[in-house]
Amino acid sequence: MEFITVDNQFEKHIALIRLNRPKELNALNLQLMGELRDALAELDADDEVRVVILTGNEKAFAAGADIKQMAGKTAIDMLITDQFSTWDQIKKTKKPLIAAVSGFALGGGCELAMTCDMIVASESARFGQPEIKIGVMPGAGGTQRLTRAVGKARAMEMVLTGKFISAEEALAAGLINRIAPVEMYMEAAKDLAREIAAMSPVAARLAKESVNRAFETHLDEGLHFERKNFYMLFASEDQKEGMQAFVEKRKPEFKGK
Ligand code: DAK
């Protein structure tokens, strides 16, 4: 791994992936995205890991896809190689994924954060879709996920003017979950990860799938999907343990089975 670092034991049941191209503000070149895809697939398959935190550094989560790598491409290059398909794999991660964002989260960087399930930001975080300024438009969810998260008016303005929003604005708009001072945002992300890691991983997986389904289908189908997943959890040991622990007035010990 050249452009990311992976710690699968950042803390018990919590893994950390750090984007690591600091000089380029973590611009997402194809190699980095391939490494990220592979690391997420590995962590998804690791029974010890229950939650993954994805972060950059204080100055940048990621300033977008690598413009220098894209600049000379033709439409047919893009189509034939379809190198951006790595993004589809990242979206398929089954475990809860928390983006810990400080500094720039722009273009593909903002889209990558939005592909995660939750975003914890430092006070210095800036979110934006500035692709319009380089003659293109968002290509990895910036017109779709952003619009669903912040509504049409704000999304339209961000996408058409390229203007950035602050962490405060992002929180008010519903794009992110929490803000912390720069020295504390990793701790805040860890706190959130710890809370989730203490829950049943089986329930977390099906709950994540069900929430995501809300964006992909109509209400009736979504409710049906939710109910099936709810019923399915009664096949898990974690459901027995969770309910028994409640009855016995003790903390549950979930095993992910
Ligand atoms: N690509 C390549 N290099 C970048 C970069 C980027 N996106 N952003 C920054 N860098 C590099 C700079 O070129 C500079 O390198 P050197 O000149 O030192 O070699 C270094 O990082 C430091 O940047 P600056 O000197 O510019 O730093 P400043 O603090 O002055 O400015 C900035 C920070 C973030 C405001 C500025 O760097 C900037 O505007 N960066 C570009 C932001 C941007 O336009 N991002 C959107 C890119 S397009 C898709 C998936 C994804 C995408 C599309 C499709 N599919 C799945 C189909 C995504 C597209 C995009 O993200």
Side-chain angles (χ1 to χ4, degrees):
M1 301 272 181
E2 186 181 352
F3 296 130
I4 65 171
T5 62
V6 182
D7 180 355
N8 63 354
Q9 290 177 328
F10 184 49
E11 226 182 75
K12 192 166 186 236
H13 297 318
I14 302 173
L16 178 76
I17 300 179
R18 189 179 290 282
L19 306 177
N20 193 27
R21 277 188 91 197
K23 279 204 215 99
E24 293 82 7
L25 303 180
N26 291 332
L28 306 167
N29 65 13
L30 295 171
Q31 185 182 329
L32 184 155
M33 290 308 292
E35 291 177 8
L36 180 58
R37 173 201 53 206
D38 295 346
L40 282 170
E42 226 167 89
L43 295 174
D44 233 6
D46 181 340
D47 286 345
E48 273 306 301
V49 173
R50 294 186 178 177
V51 182
V52 181
I53 300 175
L54 175 62
T55 196
N57 55 55
E58 257 177 50
K59 178 145 195 235
F61 176 72
D66 190 323
I67 300 170
K68 292 165 192 164
Q69 195 172 50
M70 281 186 297
K73 293 257 163 63
T74 66
I76 301 303
D77 290 337
M78 298 290 242
L79 183 73
I80 301 291
T81 55
D82 196 21
Q83 288 151 328
F84 280 105
S85 58
T86 46
W87 289 74
D88 301 337
Q89 293 302 317
I90 289 167
K91 181 179 92 178
K92 289 184 185 150
T93 306
K94 296 187 174 72
K95 291 181 181 162
L97 195 48
I98 298 173
V101 175
S102 184
F104 298 113
L106 305 177
C110 186
E111 290 167 316
L112 182 58
M114 291 191 292
T115 305
C116 296
D117 303 306
M118 280 161 291
I119 303 177
V120 173
S122 87
E123 285 166 348
S124 76
R126 295 285 173 278
F127 298 87
Q129 299 290 160
E131 292 91 339
I132 192 104
K133 293 185 179 170
I134 53 170
V136 287
M137 58 173 277
T143 66
Q144 303 300 303
R145 290 199 181 92
L146 183 69
T147 308
R148 284 168 161 84
V150 307
K152 177 178 165 183
R154 213 183 237 107
M156 201 59 103
E157 190 171 337
M158 286 172 72
V159 168
L160 294 184
T161 68
K163 107 177 194 205
F164 303 164
I165 60 170
S166 66
E168 286 291 346
E169 288 172 285
L171 184 68
L175 181 63
I176 67 175
N177 297 71
R178 296 179 188 184
I179 305 181
V182 179
E183 327 76 68
M184 294 294 296
Y185 77 101
M186 280 308 299
E187 203 45 49
K190 239 199 261 183
D191 283 345
L192 183 56
R194 273 188 208 117
E195 274 183 56
I196 298 164
M199 306 298 165
S200 158
V202 194
R205 173 175 168 165
L206 293 186
K208 165 173 169 162
E209 255 182 56
S210 301
V211 172
N212 279 335
R213 187 56 74 105
F215 294 99
E216 273 149 28
T217 190
H218 57 81
L219 184 59
D220 249 3
E221 204 280 324
L223 290 170
H224 183 68
F225 186 80
E226 176 190 76
R227 186 173 304 175
K228 290 269 172 186
N229 281 341
F230 179 77
Y231 290 160
M232 182 157 20
L233 287 173
F234 283 74
S236 73
E237 290 177 24
D238 283 352
Q239 174 268 328
K240 302 286 174 282
E241 165 65 8
M243 294 194 177
Q244 196 58 37
F246 176 82
V247 172
E248 292 168 10
K249 298 187 188 298
R250 59 173 174 84
K251 260 184 88 183
E253 276 292 326
F254 293 121
K255 297 202 187 95
K257 288 186 179 160

